[in-house]
Amino acid sequence: MPTALIADDEPLLAAALQSALSRLWPQLEILAVVHDGASALAEINRLRPDIAFLDIRMPGLDGMAVARSVSACRVVFVTAYDEYALQAFDAAAVDYLLKPIDDARLLRCISRLQQAAPLVQPIAAAPAEAQPAYLSWITAGLGNSKRLIAVDEVQYFKACDKYTELVLAGETQLIRTPLKELATRLDPRQFAQIHRGLIVRLAAVQGIEQDLLGRSFVLLKHGGGKLPLSRSFAAQFKAM
């Protein structure tokens, strides 16, 4: 059973998060709820939870300092402030939740935690082979306007002149990383190249269609339109 600690200097918000986690992830055992950074660090070292939900602005040690001081504990930052997103990325946080947290957003966080490597390794298990460090987050935007985006929010990546477009639900962001480089850094279980200039997230795909000229297209869910599927990449979709 996975275990967790919650640290938030606002008791009502901490209790609300605990209640939401209990309702949405009943298998998760909350070992402790604390209200300052020093207590969070002490309890993490004592209880060894699998996950720590850390507020960033807390008395004494802030959440960033706590995260830098612990190991073998997945960190989810919970805060009302979005300016710490890049620091959270540097601290290898699993997720970054902005208050107030709705159920849909918390469920996405839970899904990320559950899809990560097993929280508890079996006794005497054979050492696992090292897995490639695929991208989980991307820093998008140009100039002083930066935004941290989880890759599982991206519907598809599109090569665009000197940039790559990240197409999300209802918006587009730009990054300087070439599509060719992105293709080597994205998890092939989640993403597939469908065209020389397009990489799509498989979970966003609804199906495949052909027009009267025999051209193939990838249909996106939720009215996301369709993308051209080149013949050289079509084999991976034959089962659809």
Side-chain angles (χ1 to χ4, degrees):
M1 180 178 290
T3 58
L5 171 141
I6 297 172
D8 195 314
D9 66 342
E10 299 182 66
L12 290 179
L13 293 180
L17 177 58
Q18 181 179 14
S19 176
L21 285 168
S22 298
R23 177 166 42 84
L24 300 175
W25 194 3
Q27 298 82 10
L28 181 68
E29 181 182 2
I30 306 297
L31 299 180
V33 179
V34 298
H35 305 298
D36 63 83
S39 297
L41 181 57
E43 290 299 275
I44 290 172
N45 288 331
R46 183 177 73 88
L47 298 172
R48 304 291 182 184
D50 300 305
I51 306 158
F53 293 88
L54 302 177
D55 189 10
I56 291 182
R57 293 189 178 181
M58 292 187 291
L61 290 175
D62 63 20
M64 291 291 178
V66 173
R68 287 192 293 267
S69 301
V70 300
S71 59
C73 177
R74 296 189 191 122
V75 172
V76 174
F77 287 113
V78 184
T79 180
Y81 307 95
D82 61 3
E83 64 263 34
Y84 297 102
L86 293 180
Q87 294 180 53
F89 175 75
D90 290 338
V94 174
D95 211 338
Y96 186 91
L97 301 177
L98 284 174
K99 302 174 184 176
I101 308 165
D102 60 32
D103 282 0
R105 182 64 183 88
L106 186 55
L107 279 169
R108 280 167 47 202
C109 174
I110 291 170
S111 178
R112 287 173 189 159
L113 289 165
Q114 292 174 333
Q115 290 173 17
L119 293 170
V120 180
Q121 296 295 332
I123 296 174
E129 294 183 7
Q131 296 295 317
Y134 295 120
L135 284 175
S136 296
W137 301 84
I138 294 177
T139 304
L142 302 176
N144 295 323
S145 178
K146 300 290 185 181
R147 177 179 168 188
L148 194 66
I149 297 173
V151 295
D152 59 9
E153 295 180 18
V154 179
Q155 292 186 334
Y156 62 92
F157 298 89
K158 179 181 179 182
C160 181
D161 295 328
K162 297 180 181 180
Y163 304 102
T164 297
E165 289 185 359
L166 280 66
V167 180
L168 296 80
E171 64 174 307
T172 299
Q173 295 286 335
L174 292 176
I175 60 173
R176 294 185 182 273
T177 306
L179 192 75
K180 184 177 181 180
E181 180 181 338
L182 271 176
T184 66
R185 302 179 63 191
L186 293 169
D187 189 341
R189 296 168 298 183
Q190 298 184 48
F191 292 89
Q193 189 151 9
I194 61 171
H195 189 276
R196 183 176 60 182
L198 289 166
I199 295 175
V200 69
R201 184 166 62 89
L202 295 173
V205 174
Q206 178 175 305
I208 307 297
E209 74 170 16
Q210 283 190 329
D211 65 10
L212 295 176
L213 299 177
R215 296 174 299 187
S216 297
F217 296 89
V218 172
L219 303 179
L220 299 178
K221 295 177 180 177
H222 310 302
K226 61 184 180 181
L227 303 171
L229 173 62
S230 71
R231 292 182 180 178
S232 57
F233 295 106
Q236 61 196 317
F237 294 102
K238 281 185 177 179
M240 298 190 73

